[in-house]
Amino acid sequence: MSDEQTEPAAGGTGPAEPADPTPGGPSGIELAREALAQAKADARKRGSVPGAQRRRTPRPARDRGRGGDPRAFGSAIKDLLADRGWEQRAAVGGVFGNWAGIVGPELADHTKPERFEDGELVVAADSTAWATQLRLLASTLVRRLNEELGDGTVRKVKVTGPASAPRRRGAWRVR
């Protein structure tokens, strides 16, 4: 530290005065004036005027479609899906996730939705018996899915059975 020690002025908020004023040196008030003049000069260089209130730039008006007051999460998600055109895809994803709730637990244990394209839902069954059962229920399933997704979303249910090895051509063989 230097030989000259400073303490805060009375009140602790003003400019610092030397602890031991030297005879012939600037007094505390003169030091304060010099510091103030320097601060004003610095402010002018930055483009601000000391003592003047800052002008607030007017904020642009908020777009009513964005921002604003808080909204419920569900309604915000619905609006987002509608804006992006994802409503149907999200609903179909919900059907895939809630398959057991739509078709029942027993049928869901033996069938699984695989894909949805152009109004056709492809469902895989784990045996030919369950594939046949699902084919018999196809019209009921289309009606139930359209209740969930909206009228006309599902037009057809295609059922695929388990994959089996290709049969050999020719006469039957007995082993």
Side-chain angles (χ1 to χ4, degrees):
M1 215 170 182
S2 66
D3 292 337
E4 186 177 7
Q5 294 199 356
T6 59
E7 293 179 9
T13 58
E17 288 187 38
D20 280 315
T22 55
S27 69
I29 194 82
E30 291 171 352
L31 288 173
R33 284 186 182 142
E34 287 176 18
L36 180 60
Q38 184 63 41
K40 284 182 179 181
D42 291 343
R44 275 190 217 99
K45 285 180 187 176
R46 287 191 313 265
S48 61
V49 179
Q53 288 185 348
R54 285 182 149 172
R55 284 190 169 188
R56 293 182 123 180
T57 57
R59 287 185 177 177
R62 280 192 174 170
D63 180 14
R64 293 289 171 209
R66 295 186 51 134
D69 292 333
R71 297 177 21 187
F73 184 73
S75 68
I77 291 296
K78 280 183 182 179
D79 290 347
L80 175 70
L81 293 175
D83 290 346
R84 304 279 170 101
W86 295 340
E87 289 173 309
Q88 184 179 13
R89 292 170 75 187
V92 169
V95 166
F96 279 44
N98 189 26
W99 183 246
I102 293 170
V103 299
E106 188 177 11
L107 192 57
D109 286 342
H110 299 283
T111 61
K112 181 178 115 181
E114 289 194 330
R115 66 182 178 275
F116 178 79
E117 294 172 355
D118 301 324
E120 180 180 80
L121 177 67
V122 178
V123 181
D126 62 2
S127 70
T128 56
W130 282 106
T132 302
Q133 180 68 25
L134 193 58
R135 284 186 192 103
L136 293 172
L137 295 172
S139 62
T140 306
L141 186 58
V142 167
R143 183 180 46 79
R144 176 74 175 104
L145 289 170
N146 282 328
E147 287 173 5
E148 290 283 323
L149 302 173
D151 228 8
T153 304
V154 179
R155 293 189 310 271
K156 181 179 176 184
V157 173
K158 181 179 178 183
V159 181
T160 60
S164 62
R167 294 183 52 187
R168 291 185 187 171
R169 294 183 155 269
W172 288 91
R173 297 189 172 94
V174 179
R175 290 189 178 182

